[in-house]
Amino acid sequence: MSRFPERPLRRLTLTVAAALGLGLGLAMPYNRALENSLNRALPSPLDPRLLLVGIDDATLGDYGPLPQWPRSLYLRAFDTLEQAGAQVIGLDVVLGRGSDPDPAVQAAFDRPHLVLATAPGDPVLDWLSARQTVTGVSALNSGSGPLREVQTAYPVGSGPATVLLPSFARQVAAQAGQPLPLDTQPRLLRYSPPAQVAAQTLSFRDLVGGNVRYADLQGRVVLIGQNASGVPGLNLPDIDGRLTPGLEWQARAVSSLLSAPLRRVPGWGTALLCAGCAVLTVLCGGLWGYALAGLTLLAAAALWPLGVVFPGVSVSLSAVLGSGLVAFERWRQLKAWRLRDPLTGLGNRLGLIRSVTQRWPRRVEQPFGLVIFDVGALSRVNAMQGRAAGDALLRELSARLQRVKRRGDAVFRSGPDEFAVLLEPAAAAEVVPLAQALVREVGPLSMGDLPVPLTVGTASSTQDLVAPTDLLEAASRERYRAKYQRVQEE
């Protein structure tokens, strides 16, 4: 027999833990803040095939403002790159509409493995004739704050007329041999160290002037774009607060698409992980929940370099919720222990008083009685056979009283050598017969050769009593009287 009612409470906390974990996992299937933190703390190297050609301040100083550039200037850069054996050329400069007066220049832009950027909502370059060149929307979905994601396509139009236009980064990645489906699913824009980006960057001025080594260009995926300081709309704040030029953003986008895709735990998987972690925390108890919370965050950091996005925050919070349920369970147990005898598991004297007090207002409509049993030989058993024998005697009497009591009755250990049975319902005339029946059914007690007599005192709620404690005092007086009479007879 369990001493305390822990199992029903444990079943309840386990059920609540599973439900809260599932709810938390469904509400927070992904942890964007954690992903951004890991992205910053554990940067991904820029794809080594990428080479950035920046239109920097020195280039603008030599050739003037970008809108005034002749398109033939770009052709000189294209020719150099093709002669050096570049694999893909991506021009992240929106050239806009309108025909060039020189047909040779128009034809020179129609070449394989060249990707031209278009403005969002304006995807057509109508001055291209043969259309060998592919185009892509020069956009990164920013929302509010720093850029964090890239898409392979962006919708244009609404309803059935909606068309998905490929992004510039997707087109470059596809030309580099990484075909990607056209969808609007956001993909994490992986952070790369600025020093590495700078190491893979050339000046557009040097490229046009021929101050480059062909070996550095062979087989590379080349992105041409602006990285001059103070360009409105292109230099945007990074996750580290640094203003980052548009060329670097596109380089990260292309590198992210060229890399192996991140594998996220599906939403239902997060829910099951959260439920399991919360249940495990309740089963372990103690401070294990906080240890599990820390381990899940460490697991997220350990799995990130492997390309696995683990929802560490959600699972960690589920462990904290489990710890809260463990604390609630302990509080309930401590509250129950205040009302229970640790030896027998029965209610103690405080529990008896509370039970009588709860029944007292309706004592007229639902009368009840109280029987107090005095274990007269307990001190002799402790002295002659030890306290272990005395404890065994008390547990034996407790078990017998619970076995023979009626369905509605309650048994308490109301003192060191005293047990009480609350009889409900019981009219005044029924209390004494019921007490006598209890004594008979409990049977004679003994500890070895030492008989253990029981002295009984009774009281009824229908007596002329004022307070609940009066009932206990009335039963105790009857017990003292019966005990005195038994001693006199001996």
Side-chain angles (χ1 to χ4, degrees), residues 349-350 352-361 363 368 370 372 418 422 458-461 463-477:
R349 186 172 184 83
L350 179 58
L352 172 62
I353 294 174
R354 287 196 175 185
S355 296
V356 173
T357 303
Q358 291 171 358
R359 292 167 173 78
W360 195 255
R363 64 187 182 279
F368 58 91
L370 179 64
I372 293 182
E418 179 181 294
L422 200 58
T458 62
S460 173
S461 65
Q463 296 174 228
D464 189 14
L465 304 174
V466 177
T469 53
D470 294 342
L471 183 70
L472 277 71
E473 292 177 1
S476 294
R477 286 195 298 270

PDB file of all heavy atoms in Angstrom, residues 349-350 352-361 363 368 370 372 418 422 458-461 463-477:
ATOM      1  N   ARG A 349      -3.939  14.486  13.061  1.00  0.00           N
ATOM      2  CA  ARG A 349      -4.930  15.177  13.889  1.00  0.00           C
ATOM      3  C   ARG A 349      -5.448  16.443  13.187  1.00  0.00           C
ATOM      4  O   ARG A 349      -6.640  16.756  13.261  1.00  0.00           O
ATOM      5  CB  ARG A 349      -4.323  15.536  15.246  1.00  0.00           C
ATOM      6  CG  ARG A 349      -5.350  16.125  16.221  1.00  0.00           C
ATOM      7  CD  ARG A 349      -4.767  16.291  17.605  1.00  0.00           C
ATOM      8  NE  ARG A 349      -5.774  16.752  18.557  1.00  0.00           N
ATOM      9  CZ  ARG A 349      -6.644  15.959  19.176  1.00  0.00           C
ATOM     10  NH1 ARG A 349      -6.619  14.654  18.955  1.00  0.00           N
ATOM     11  NH2 ARG A 349      -7.526  16.453  20.024  1.00  0.00           N
ATOM     12  N   LEU A 350      -4.542  17.163  12.490  1.00  0.00           N
ATOM     13  CA  LEU A 350      -4.996  18.338  11.752  1.00  0.00           C
ATOM     14  C   LEU A 350      -5.980  17.948  10.662  1.00  0.00           C
ATOM     15  O   LEU A 350      -6.981  18.638  10.436  1.00  0.00           O
ATOM     16  CB  LEU A 350      -3.784  19.057  11.148  1.00  0.00           C
ATOM     17  CG  LEU A 350      -4.080  20.307  10.318  1.00  0.00           C
ATOM     18  CD1 LEU A 350      -4.823  21.343  11.151  1.00  0.00           C
ATOM     19  CD2 LEU A 350      -2.789  20.883   9.743  1.00  0.00           C
ATOM     20  N   LEU A 352      -7.954  15.369  10.763  1.00  0.00           N
ATOM     21  CA  LEU A 352      -9.198  15.023  11.436  1.00  0.00           C
ATOM     22  C   LEU A 352      -9.997  16.272  11.782  1.00  0.00           C
ATOM     23  O   LEU A 352     -11.217  16.330  11.545  1.00  0.00           O
ATOM     24  CB  LEU A 352      -8.880  14.219  12.697  1.00  0.00           C
ATOM     25  CG  LEU A 352     -10.062  13.923  13.626  1.00  0.00           C
ATOM     26  CD1 LEU A 352     -11.115  13.080  12.900  1.00  0.00           C
ATOM     27  CD2 LEU A 352      -9.582  13.218  14.896  1.00  0.00           C
ATOM     28  N   ILE A 353      -9.325  17.272  12.328  1.00  0.00           N
ATOM     29  CA  ILE A 353     -10.027  18.506  12.690  1.00  0.00           C
ATOM     30  C   ILE A 353     -10.631  19.169  11.456  1.00  0.00           C
ATOM     31  O   ILE A 353     -11.770  19.664  11.485  1.00  0.00           O
ATOM     32  CB  ILE A 353      -9.055  19.461  13.420  1.00  0.00           C
ATOM     33  CG1 ILE A 353      -8.642  18.852  14.763  1.00  0.00           C
ATOM     34  CG2 ILE A 353      -9.685  20.828  13.622  1.00  0.00           C
ATOM     35  CD1 ILE A 353      -7.575  19.655  15.484  1.00  0.00           C
ATOM     36  N   ARG A 354      -9.896  19.178  10.360  1.00  0.00           N
ATOM     37  CA  ARG A 354     -10.432  19.792   9.139  1.00  0.00           C
ATOM     38  C   ARG A 354     -11.633  19.023   8.616  1.00  0.00           C
ATOM     39  O   ARG A 354     -12.608  19.620   8.148  1.00  0.00           O
ATOM     40  CB  ARG A 354      -9.339  19.846   8.064  1.00  0.00           C
ATOM     41  CG  ARG A 354      -8.276  20.877   8.339  1.00  0.00           C
ATOM     42  CD  ARG A 354      -7.458  21.166   7.114  1.00  0.00           C
ATOM     43  NE  ARG A 354      -6.501  22.237   7.336  1.00  0.00           N
ATOM     44  CZ  ARG A 354      -5.721  22.753   6.392  1.00  0.00           C
ATOM     45  NH1 ARG A 354      -5.797  22.286   5.154  1.00  0.00           N
ATOM     46  NH2 ARG A 354      -4.881  23.726   6.680  1.00  0.00           N
ATOM     47  N   SER A 355     -11.570  17.700   8.675  1.00  0.00           N
ATOM     48  CA  SER A 355     -12.705  16.900   8.204  1.00  0.00           C
ATOM     49  C   SER A 355     -13.941  17.153   9.054  1.00  0.00           C
ATOM     50  O   SER A 355     -15.063  17.287   8.533  1.00  0.00           O
ATOM     51  CB  SER A 355     -12.339  15.409   8.232  1.00  0.00           C
ATOM     52  OG  SER A 355     -11.289  15.131   7.337  1.00  0.00           O
ATOM     53  N   VAL A 356     -13.770  17.198  10.374  1.00  0.00           N
ATOM     54  CA  VAL A 356     -14.911  17.470  11.260  1.00  0.00           C
ATOM     55  C   VAL A 356     -15.446  18.876  10.998  1.00  0.00           C
ATOM     56  O   VAL A 356     -16.663  19.094  10.950  1.00  0.00           O
ATOM     57  CB  VAL A 356     -14.490  17.296  12.736  1.00  0.00           C
ATOM     58  CG1 VAL A 356     -15.612  17.736  13.669  1.00  0.00           C
ATOM     59  CG2 VAL A 356     -14.115  15.843  13.003  1.00  0.00           C
ATOM     60  N   THR A 357     -14.541  19.842  10.807  1.00  0.00           N
ATOM     61  CA  THR A 357     -14.967  21.224  10.565  1.00  0.00           C
ATOM     62  C   THR A 357     -15.751  21.345   9.269  1.00  0.00           C
ATOM     63  O   THR A 357     -16.753  22.098   9.201  1.00  0.00           O
ATOM     64  CB  THR A 357     -13.732  22.138  10.524  1.00  0.00           C
ATOM     65  OG1 THR A 357     -13.005  22.012  11.756  1.00  0.00           O
ATOM     66  CG2 THR A 357     -14.135  23.585  10.340  1.00  0.00           C
ATOM     67  N   GLN A 358     -15.341  20.631   8.235  1.00  0.00           N
ATOM     68  CA  GLN A 358     -16.057  20.676   6.959  1.00  0.00           C
ATOM     69  C   GLN A 358     -17.465  20.097   7.091  1.00  0.00           C
ATOM     70  O   GLN A 358     -18.399  20.566   6.433  1.00  0.00           O
ATOM     71  CB  GLN A 358     -15.269  19.919   5.890  1.00  0.00           C
ATOM     72  CG  GLN A 358     -13.977  20.599   5.474  1.00  0.00           C
ATOM     73  CD  GLN A 358     -13.129  19.725   4.581  1.00  0.00           C
ATOM     74  OE1 GLN A 358     -13.484  18.573   4.282  1.00  0.00           O
ATOM     75  NE2 GLN A 358     -11.987  20.256   4.144  1.00  0.00           N
ATOM     76  N   ARG A 359     -17.641  19.089   7.935  1.00  0.00           N
ATOM     77  CA  ARG A 359     -18.949  18.453   8.079  1.00  0.00           C
ATOM     78  C   ARG A 359     -19.840  19.163   9.101  1.00  0.00           C
ATOM     79  O   ARG A 359     -21.052  18.909   9.144  1.00  0.00           O
ATOM     80  CB  ARG A 359     -18.753  16.981   8.504  1.00  0.00           C
ATOM     81  CG  ARG A 359     -18.119  16.094   7.444  1.00  0.00           C
ATOM     82  CD  ARG A 359     -17.657  14.774   8.011  1.00  0.00           C
ATOM     83  NE  ARG A 359     -17.196  13.830   7.011  1.00  0.00           N
ATOM     84  CZ  ARG A 359     -16.018  13.872   6.412  1.00  0.00           C
ATOM     85  NH1 ARG A 359     -15.166  14.829   6.745  1.00  0.00           N
ATOM     86  NH2 ARG A 359     -15.692  12.976   5.499  1.00  0.00           N
ATOM     87  N   TRP A 360     -19.244  19.997   9.907  1.00  0.00           N
ATOM     88  CA  TRP A 360     -19.975  20.563  11.032  1.00  0.00           C
ATOM     89  C   TRP A 360     -21.203  21.386  10.631  1.00  0.00           C
ATOM     90  O   TRP A 360     -22.266  21.248  11.261  1.00  0.00           O
ATOM     91  CB  TRP A 360     -19.023  21.408  11.891  1.00  0.00           C
ATOM     92  CG  TRP A 360     -19.565  21.732  13.241  1.00  0.00           C
ATOM     93  CD1 TRP A 360     -20.061  22.916  13.677  1.00  0.00           C
ATOM     94  CD2 TRP A 360     -19.685  20.825  14.327  1.00  0.00           C
ATOM     95  NE1 TRP A 360     -20.474  22.831  14.969  1.00  0.00           N
ATOM     96  CE2 TRP A 360     -20.252  21.538  15.395  1.00  0.00           C
ATOM     97  CE3 TRP A 360     -19.368  19.471  14.509  1.00  0.00           C
ATOM     98  CZ2 TRP A 360     -20.507  20.959  16.636  1.00  0.00           C
ATOM     99  CZ3 TRP A 360     -19.629  18.904  15.730  1.00  0.00           C
ATOM    100  CH2 TRP A 360     -20.197  19.637  16.774  1.00  0.00           C
ATOM    101  N   PRO A 361     -21.176  22.227   9.605  1.00  0.00           N
ATOM    102  CA  PRO A 361     -22.361  23.032   9.269  1.00  0.00           C
ATOM    103  C   PRO A 361     -23.592  22.202   8.915  1.00  0.00           C
ATOM    104  O   PRO A 361     -24.728  22.672   9.098  1.00  0.00           O
ATOM    105  CB  PRO A 361     -21.888  23.881   8.082  1.00  0.00           C
ATOM    106  CG  PRO A 361     -20.400  23.934   8.211  1.00  0.00           C
ATOM    107  CD  PRO A 361     -20.025  22.611   8.764  1.00  0.00           C
ATOM    108  N   ARG A 363     -24.323  19.128  10.219  1.00  0.00           N
ATOM    109  CA  ARG A 363     -24.390  18.012  11.164  1.00  0.00           C
ATOM    110  C   ARG A 363     -25.819  17.629  11.525  1.00  0.00           C
ATOM    111  O   ARG A 363     -26.082  16.495  11.926  1.00  0.00           O
ATOM    112  CB  ARG A 363     -23.620  18.380  12.438  1.00  0.00           C
ATOM    113  CG  ARG A 363     -24.198  19.547  13.224  1.00  0.00           C
ATOM    114  CD  ARG A 363     -23.271  19.938  14.356  1.00  0.00           C
ATOM    115  NE  ARG A 363     -23.792  21.025  15.177  1.00  0.00           N
ATOM    116  CZ  ARG A 363     -23.726  22.299  14.869  1.00  0.00           C
ATOM    117  NH1 ARG A 363     -23.163  22.672  13.734  1.00  0.00           N
ATOM    118  NH2 ARG A 363     -24.231  23.231  15.677  1.00  0.00           N
ATOM    119  N   PHE A 368     -23.095  12.653  12.075  1.00  0.00           N
ATOM    120  CA  PHE A 368     -21.948  11.755  11.991  1.00  0.00           C
ATOM    121  C   PHE A 368     -21.421  11.519  13.397  1.00  0.00           C
ATOM    122  O   PHE A 368     -21.795  12.222  14.357  1.00  0.00           O
ATOM    123  CB  PHE A 368     -20.856  12.333  11.088  1.00  0.00           C
ATOM    124  CG  PHE A 368     -20.346  13.678  11.499  1.00  0.00           C
ATOM    125  CD1 PHE A 368     -19.264  13.809  12.358  1.00  0.00           C
ATOM    126  CD2 PHE A 368     -20.963  14.844  11.042  1.00  0.00           C
ATOM    127  CE1 PHE A 368     -18.800  15.051  12.739  1.00  0.00           C
ATOM    128  CE2 PHE A 368     -20.505  16.098  11.419  1.00  0.00           C
ATOM    129  CZ  PHE A 368     -19.424  16.203  12.266  1.00  0.00           C
ATOM    130  N   LEU A 370     -17.930   9.960  15.948  1.00  0.00           N
ATOM    131  CA  LEU A 370     -16.482   9.856  16.054  1.00  0.00           C
ATOM    132  C   LEU A 370     -16.147   8.757  17.051  1.00  0.00           C
ATOM    133  O   LEU A 370     -16.702   8.715  18.153  1.00  0.00           O
ATOM    134  CB  LEU A 370     -15.877  11.186  16.509  1.00  0.00           C
ATOM    135  CG  LEU A 370     -14.354  11.213  16.693  1.00  0.00           C
ATOM    136  CD1 LEU A 370     -13.647  10.974  15.369  1.00  0.00           C
ATOM    137  CD2 LEU A 370     -13.912  12.536  17.318  1.00  0.00           C
ATOM    138  N   ILE A 372     -12.759   7.007  18.907  1.00  0.00           N
ATOM    139  CA  ILE A 372     -11.328   7.131  19.165  1.00  0.00           C
ATOM    140  C   ILE A 372     -10.833   5.834  19.802  1.00  0.00           C
ATOM    141  O   ILE A 372     -11.409   5.352  20.786  1.00  0.00           O
ATOM    142  CB  ILE A 372     -11.028   8.335  20.074  1.00  0.00           C
ATOM    143  CG1 ILE A 372     -11.337   9.642  19.338  1.00  0.00           C
ATOM    144  CG2 ILE A 372      -9.569   8.321  20.514  1.00  0.00           C
ATOM    145  CD1 ILE A 372     -11.031  10.890  20.132  1.00  0.00           C
ATOM    146  N   GLU A 418      -3.020   6.876  19.262  1.00  0.00           N
ATOM    147  CA  GLU A 418      -4.462   7.114  19.161  1.00  0.00           C
ATOM    148  C   GLU A 418      -4.884   7.117  17.698  1.00  0.00           C
ATOM    149  O   GLU A 418      -4.246   7.713  16.844  1.00  0.00           O
ATOM    150  CB  GLU A 418      -4.777   8.467  19.811  1.00  0.00           C
ATOM    151  CG  GLU A 418      -6.234   8.868  19.771  1.00  0.00           C
ATOM    152  CD  GLU A 418      -6.424  10.232  20.416  1.00  0.00           C
ATOM    153  OE1 GLU A 418      -6.213  10.339  21.632  1.00  0.00           O
ATOM    154  OE2 GLU A 418      -6.753  11.192  19.700  1.00  0.00           O
ATOM    155  N   LEU A 422     -14.001   8.426  11.695  1.00  0.00           N
ATOM    156  CA  LEU A 422     -15.129   9.336  11.512  1.00  0.00           C
ATOM    157  C   LEU A 422     -16.240   8.560  10.816  1.00  0.00           C
ATOM    158  O   LEU A 422     -16.065   8.093   9.685  1.00  0.00           O
ATOM    159  CB  LEU A 422     -14.684  10.537  10.678  1.00  0.00           C
ATOM    160  CG  LEU A 422     -15.523  11.803  10.739  1.00  0.00           C
ATOM    161  CD1 LEU A 422     -15.627  12.320  12.175  1.00  0.00           C
ATOM    162  CD2 LEU A 422     -14.913  12.878   9.857  1.00  0.00           C
ATOM    163  N   THR A 458     -16.422   7.366  22.262  1.00  0.00           N
ATOM    164  CA  THR A 458     -17.303   7.761  21.162  1.00  0.00           C
ATOM    165  C   THR A 458     -17.956   9.097  21.460  1.00  0.00           C
ATOM    166  O   THR A 458     -18.057   9.525  22.612  1.00  0.00           O
ATOM    167  CB  THR A 458     -18.394   6.709  20.926  1.00  0.00           C
ATOM    168  OG1 THR A 458     -19.207   6.616  22.105  1.00  0.00           O
ATOM    169  CG2 THR A 458     -17.787   5.349  20.597  1.00  0.00           C
ATOM    170  N   ALA A 459     -18.399   9.742  20.361  1.00  0.00           N
ATOM    171  CA  ALA A 459     -19.172  10.980  20.474  1.00  0.00           C
ATOM    172  C   ALA A 459     -19.978  11.131  19.198  1.00  0.00           C
ATOM    173  O   ALA A 459     -19.631  10.569  18.155  1.00  0.00           O
ATOM    174  CB  ALA A 459     -18.272  12.181  20.698  1.00  0.00           C
ATOM    175  N   SER A 460     -21.079  11.894  19.299  1.00  0.00           N
ATOM    176  CA  SER A 460     -21.954  12.100  18.152  1.00  0.00           C
ATOM    177  C   SER A 460     -22.139  13.586  17.900  1.00  0.00           C
ATOM    178  O   SER A 460     -22.170  14.403  18.841  1.00  0.00           O
ATOM    179  CB  SER A 460     -23.322  11.451  18.396  1.00  0.00           C
ATOM    180  OG  SER A 460     -24.224  11.793  17.359  1.00  0.00           O
ATOM    181  N   SER A 461     -22.257  13.952  16.624  1.00  0.00           N
ATOM    182  CA  SER A 461     -22.442  15.357  16.277  1.00  0.00           C
ATOM    183  C   SER A 461     -23.800  15.885  16.705  1.00  0.00           C
ATOM    184  O   SER A 461     -24.017  17.092  16.723  1.00  0.00           O
ATOM    185  CB  SER A 461     -22.282  15.533  14.765  1.00  0.00           C
ATOM    186  OG  SER A 461     -23.317  14.838  14.069  1.00  0.00           O
ATOM    187  N   GLN A 463     -25.004  15.599  19.667  1.00  0.00           N
ATOM    188  CA  GLN A 463     -24.953  15.999  21.065  1.00  0.00           C
ATOM    189  C   GLN A 463     -24.984  17.524  21.158  1.00  0.00           C
ATOM    190  O   GLN A 463     -24.823  18.234  20.163  1.00  0.00           O
ATOM    191  CB  GLN A 463     -23.680  15.444  21.724  1.00  0.00           C
ATOM    192  CG  GLN A 463     -23.632  13.930  21.782  1.00  0.00           C
ATOM    193  CD  GLN A 463     -22.302  13.413  22.307  1.00  0.00           C
ATOM    194  OE1 GLN A 463     -21.705  12.531  21.748  1.00  0.00           O
ATOM    195  NE2 GLN A 463     -21.835  13.997  23.423  1.00  0.00           N
ATOM    196  N   ASP A 464     -25.163  17.973  22.366  1.00  0.00           N
ATOM    197  CA  ASP A 464     -25.236  19.419  22.589  1.00  0.00           C
ATOM    198  C   ASP A 464     -23.824  19.992  22.573  1.00  0.00           C
ATOM    199  O   ASP A 464     -23.247  20.338  23.616  1.00  0.00           O
ATOM    200  CB  ASP A 464     -25.938  19.705  23.926  1.00  0.00           C
ATOM    201  CG  ASP A 464     -26.232  21.186  24.093  1.00  0.00           C
ATOM    202  OD1 ASP A 464     -26.138  21.914  23.076  1.00  0.00           O
ATOM    203  OD2 ASP A 464     -26.535  21.618  25.217  1.00  0.00           O
ATOM    204  N   LEU A 465     -23.278  20.102  21.369  1.00  0.00           N
ATOM    205  CA  LEU A 465     -21.908  20.569  21.195  1.00  0.00           C
ATOM    206  C   LEU A 465     -21.913  21.884  20.411  1.00  0.00           C
ATOM    207  O   LEU A 465     -22.763  22.090  19.531  1.00  0.00           O
ATOM    208  CB  LEU A 465     -21.072  19.532  20.443  1.00  0.00           C
ATOM    209  CG  LEU A 465     -21.026  18.126  21.076  1.00  0.00           C
ATOM    210  CD1 LEU A 465     -20.292  17.152  20.171  1.00  0.00           C
ATOM    211  CD2 LEU A 465     -20.365  18.197  22.444  1.00  0.00           C
ATOM    212  N   VAL A 466     -20.947  22.737  20.698  1.00  0.00           N
ATOM    213  CA  VAL A 466     -20.926  24.068  20.081  1.00  0.00           C
ATOM    214  C   VAL A 466     -19.951  24.134  18.917  1.00  0.00           C
ATOM    215  O   VAL A 466     -20.260  24.697  17.873  1.00  0.00           O
ATOM    216  CB  VAL A 466     -20.556  25.137  21.133  1.00  0.00           C
ATOM    217  CG1 VAL A 466     -20.467  26.519  20.477  1.00  0.00           C
ATOM    218  CG2 VAL A 466     -21.557  25.126  22.280  1.00  0.00           C
ATOM    219  N   ALA A 467     -18.777  23.568  19.063  1.00  0.00           N
ATOM    220  CA  ALA A 467     -17.719  23.691  18.058  1.00  0.00           C
ATOM    221  C   ALA A 467     -17.226  22.316  17.655  1.00  0.00           C
ATOM    222  O   ALA A 467     -17.426  21.327  18.376  1.00  0.00           O
ATOM    223  CB  ALA A 467     -16.552  24.519  18.617  1.00  0.00           C
ATOM    224  N   PRO A 468     -16.562  22.211  16.474  1.00  0.00           N
ATOM    225  CA  PRO A 468     -16.048  20.911  16.036  1.00  0.00           C
ATOM    226  C   PRO A 468     -15.079  20.292  17.038  1.00  0.00           C
ATOM    227  O   PRO A 468     -15.068  19.067  17.212  1.00  0.00           O
ATOM    228  CB  PRO A 468     -15.343  21.245  14.715  1.00  0.00           C
ATOM    229  CG  PRO A 468     -16.002  22.487  14.226  1.00  0.00           C
ATOM    230  CD  PRO A 468     -16.371  23.261  15.446  1.00  0.00           C
ATOM    231  N   THR A 469     -14.272  21.115  17.689  1.00  0.00           N
ATOM    232  CA  THR A 469     -13.323  20.553  18.649  1.00  0.00           C
ATOM    233  C   THR A 469     -14.027  19.943  19.854  1.00  0.00           C
ATOM    234  O   THR A 469     -13.451  19.085  20.539  1.00  0.00           O
ATOM    235  CB  THR A 469     -12.348  21.640  19.118  1.00  0.00           C
ATOM    236  OG1 THR A 469     -13.088  22.780  19.606  1.00  0.00           O
ATOM    237  CG2 THR A 469     -11.450  22.101  17.977  1.00  0.00           C
ATOM    238  N   ASP A 470     -15.264  20.388  20.116  1.00  0.00           N
ATOM    239  CA  ASP A 470     -16.014  19.802  21.220  1.00  0.00           C
ATOM    240  C   ASP A 470     -16.281  18.327  20.976  1.00  0.00           C
ATOM    241  O   ASP A 470     -16.355  17.528  21.923  1.00  0.00           O
ATOM    242  CB  ASP A 470     -17.337  20.546  21.425  1.00  0.00           C
ATOM    243  CG  ASP A 470     -17.123  21.980  21.886  1.00  0.00           C
ATOM    244  OD1 ASP A 470     -16.011  22.275  22.360  1.00  0.00           O
ATOM    245  OD2 ASP A 470     -18.062  22.793  21.764  1.00  0.00           O
ATOM    246  N   LEU A 471     -16.448  17.959  19.686  1.00  0.00           N
ATOM    247  CA  LEU A 471     -16.681  16.556  19.360  1.00  0.00           C
ATOM    248  C   LEU A 471     -15.470  15.713  19.725  1.00  0.00           C
ATOM    249  O   LEU A 471     -15.601  14.625  20.303  1.00  0.00           O
ATOM    250  CB  LEU A 471     -17.004  16.415  17.866  1.00  0.00           C
ATOM    251  CG  LEU A 471     -17.348  15.003  17.376  1.00  0.00           C
ATOM    252  CD1 LEU A 471     -18.708  14.569  17.933  1.00  0.00           C
ATOM    253  CD2 LEU A 471     -17.367  14.957  15.856  1.00  0.00           C
ATOM    254  N   LEU A 472     -14.273  16.203  19.406  1.00  0.00           N
ATOM    255  CA  LEU A 472     -13.059  15.480  19.749  1.00  0.00           C
ATOM    256  C   LEU A 472     -12.881  15.389  21.259  1.00  0.00           C
ATOM    257  O   LEU A 472     -12.490  14.334  21.795  1.00  0.00           O
ATOM    258  CB  LEU A 472     -11.840  16.168  19.125  1.00  0.00           C
ATOM    259  CG  LEU A 472     -11.521  15.829  17.661  1.00  0.00           C
ATOM    260  CD1 LEU A 472     -12.567  16.435  16.721  1.00  0.00           C
ATOM    261  CD2 LEU A 472     -10.137  16.374  17.281  1.00  0.00           C
ATOM    262  N   GLU A 473     -13.183  16.470  21.970  1.00  0.00           N
ATOM    263  CA  GLU A 473     -13.033  16.453  23.420  1.00  0.00           C
ATOM    264  C   GLU A 473     -14.031  15.498  24.056  1.00  0.00           C
ATOM    265  O   GLU A 473     -13.703  14.787  25.031  1.00  0.00           O
ATOM    266  CB  GLU A 473     -13.225  17.863  23.972  1.00  0.00           C
ATOM    267  CG  GLU A 473     -12.108  18.825  23.569  1.00  0.00           C
ATOM    268  CD  GLU A 473     -12.356  20.224  24.069  1.00  0.00           C
ATOM    269  OE1 GLU A 473     -13.395  20.438  24.743  1.00  0.00           O
ATOM    270  OE2 GLU A 473     -11.547  21.116  23.780  1.00  0.00           O
ATOM    271  N   ALA A 474     -15.255  15.442  23.518  1.00  0.00           N
ATOM    272  CA  ALA A 474     -16.261  14.538  24.063  1.00  0.00           C
ATOM    273  C   ALA A 474     -15.832  13.080  23.877  1.00  0.00           C
ATOM    274  O   ALA A 474     -15.942  12.257  24.798  1.00  0.00           O
ATOM    275  CB  ALA A 474     -17.610  14.789  23.390  1.00  0.00           C
ATOM    276  N   ALA A 475     -15.326  12.741  22.695  1.00  0.00           N
ATOM    277  CA  ALA A 475     -14.866  11.368  22.454  1.00  0.00           C
ATOM    278  C   ALA A 475     -13.654  11.054  23.319  1.00  0.00           C
ATOM    279  O   ALA A 475     -13.502   9.929  23.822  1.00  0.00           O
ATOM    280  CB  ALA A 475     -14.552  11.185  20.973  1.00  0.00           C
ATOM    281  N   SER A 476     -12.768  12.037  23.504  1.00  0.00           N
ATOM    282  CA  SER A 476     -11.582  11.803  24.331  1.00  0.00           C
ATOM    283  C   SER A 476     -11.963  11.583  25.775  1.00  0.00           C
ATOM    284  O   SER A 476     -11.370  10.738  26.475  1.00  0.00           O
ATOM    285  CB  SER A 476     -10.630  13.005  24.210  1.00  0.00           C
ATOM    286  OG  SER A 476     -10.119  13.104  22.895  1.00  0.00           O
ATOM    287  N   ARG A 477     -12.957  12.313  26.293  1.00  0.00           N
ATOM    288  CA  ARG A 477     -13.401  12.102  27.676  1.00  0.00           C
ATOM    289  C   ARG A 477     -13.950  10.703  27.856  1.00  0.00           C
ATOM    290  O   ARG A 477     -13.681  10.033  28.868  1.00  0.00           O
ATOM    291  CB  ARG A 477     -14.459  13.144  28.053  1.00  0.00           C
ATOM    292  CG  ARG A 477     -13.884  14.539  28.293  1.00  0.00           C
ATOM    293  CD  ARG A 477     -14.903  15.414  29.002  1.00  0.00           C
ATOM    294  NE  ARG A 477     -16.109  15.601  28.201  1.00  0.00           N
ATOM    295  CZ  ARG A 477     -16.287  16.591  27.336  1.00  0.00           C
ATOM    296  NH1 ARG A 477     -15.332  17.489  27.154  1.00  0.00           N
ATOM    297  NH2 ARG A 477     -17.415  16.707  26.665  1.00  0.00           N
TER     298      ARG A 477
END
